[in-house]
Amino acid sequence: MVDWTKIKGNWNQISGVLQEQWGDLTDDDVTQIHGEKKQLIGALQKRYGMSKEEAETAMHDFLESQRQLWDR
Protein backbone atom coordinates (compact mmCIF):
# COMPACT_ATOMS: atom_id res chain seq x y z
CA MET A 1 0.00 0.00 0.00
CA VAL A 2 1.39 3.38 -1.03
CA ASP A 3 1.50 5.87 1.85
CA TRP A 4 1.00 9.28 0.23
CA THR A 5 2.08 11.13 3.37
CA LYS A 6 5.48 9.49 3.03
CA ILE A 7 5.52 10.14 -0.73
CA LYS A 8 4.98 13.85 -0.13
CA GLY A 9 7.62 13.91 2.59
CA ASN A 10 10.22 12.34 0.30
CA TRP A 11 9.13 14.04 -2.92
CA ASN A 12 12.56 15.49 -3.74
CA GLN A 13 14.14 12.02 -3.82
CA ILE A 14 11.22 10.42 -5.63
CA SER A 15 10.84 13.14 -8.25
CA GLY A 16 14.29 12.55 -9.74
CA VAL A 17 13.68 8.85 -10.16
CA LEU A 18 10.19 9.61 -11.46
CA GLN A 19 11.64 11.72 -14.27
CA GLU A 20 14.11 8.94 -15.11
CA GLN A 21 11.19 6.53 -15.44
CA TRP A 22 8.94 8.92 -17.36
CA GLY A 23 11.23 11.29 -19.23
CA ASP A 24 8.36 13.16 -20.87
CA LEU A 25 7.35 14.63 -17.51
CA THR A 26 8.71 18.16 -17.37
CA ASP A 27 10.24 19.92 -14.39
CA ASP A 28 7.03 21.96 -14.22
CA ASP A 29 4.96 18.76 -14.16
CA VAL A 30 7.01 17.40 -11.26
CA THR A 31 6.79 20.69 -9.38
CA GLN A 32 3.02 20.85 -9.82
CA ILE A 33 2.55 17.19 -8.83
CA HIS A 34 4.48 17.67 -5.54
CA GLY A 35 3.50 14.26 -4.24
CA GLU A 36 -0.20 14.52 -5.03
CA LYS A 37 -1.72 11.29 -6.35
CA LYS A 38 -4.35 12.91 -8.57
CA GLN A 39 -1.79 15.30 -10.07
CA LEU A 40 0.58 12.46 -10.92
CA ILE A 41 -2.18 10.41 -12.53
CA GLY A 42 -3.27 13.44 -14.55
CA ALA A 43 0.28 14.17 -15.71
CA LEU A 44 0.78 10.58 -16.86
CA GLN A 45 -2.51 10.69 -18.72
CA LYS A 46 -1.58 13.98 -20.39
CA ARG A 47 2.03 13.17 -21.33
CA TYR A 48 1.57 9.51 -22.26
CA GLY A 49 -2.03 9.27 -23.40
CA MET A 50 -2.83 6.71 -20.73
CA SER A 51 -6.30 5.99 -19.43
CA LYS A 52 -6.90 6.76 -15.78
CA GLU A 53 -6.66 3.06 -14.95
CA GLU A 54 -3.41 2.63 -16.89
CA ALA A 55 -1.90 5.66 -15.16
CA GLU A 56 -2.96 4.41 -11.72
CA THR A 57 -1.44 0.98 -12.38
CA ALA A 58 1.80 2.42 -13.79
CA MET A 59 2.10 4.85 -10.88
CA HIS A 60 1.45 2.15 -8.28
CA ASP A 61 3.91 -0.28 -9.86
CA PHE A 62 6.59 2.41 -10.06
CA LEU A 63 6.13 3.55 -6.47
CA GLU A 64 6.19 -0.01 -5.16
CA SER A 65 9.41 -0.64 -7.08
CA GLN A 66 10.93 2.46 -5.47
CA ARG A 67 9.65 1.80 -1.96
CA GLN A 68 13.12 2.26 -0.44
CA LEU A 69 12.96 5.97 -1.36
CA TRP A 70 9.85 6.68 0.64
CA ASP A 71 9.27 3.87 3.13
CA ARG A 72 11.35 5.17 5.99
Side-chain angles (χ1 to χ4, degrees):
M1 180 90 171
V2 175
D3 182 343
W4 284 94
T5 303
K6 290 182 178 182
I7 297 293
K8 289 179 188 180
N10 292 290
W11 187 244
N12 288 336
Q13 294 90 337
I14 294 167
S15 63
V17 179
L18 183 79
Q19 281 188 292
E20 288 176 18
Q21 174 72 21
W22 290 299
D24 288 348
L25 292 177
T26 66
D27 289 340
D28 286 342
D29 290 334
V30 173
T31 299
Q32 290 176 358
I33 294 166
H34 196 67
E36 296 291 332
K37 180 179 180 178
K38 288 182 182 180
Q39 297 286 25
L40 177 52
I41 291 168
L44 292 175
Q45 287 179 278
K46 178 181 175 183
R47 296 287 178 208
Y48 290 92
M50 295 179 179
S51 69
K52 182 178 180 184
E53 294 76 22
E54 289 172 325
E56 286 175 341
T57 299
M59 173 201 65
H60 180 268
D61 291 348
F62 166 76
L63 291 173
E64 285 296 328
S65 75
Q66 299 300 316
R67 183 177 283 274
Q68 77 278 0
L69 294 176
W70 57 269
D71 197 17
R72 300 176 189 171

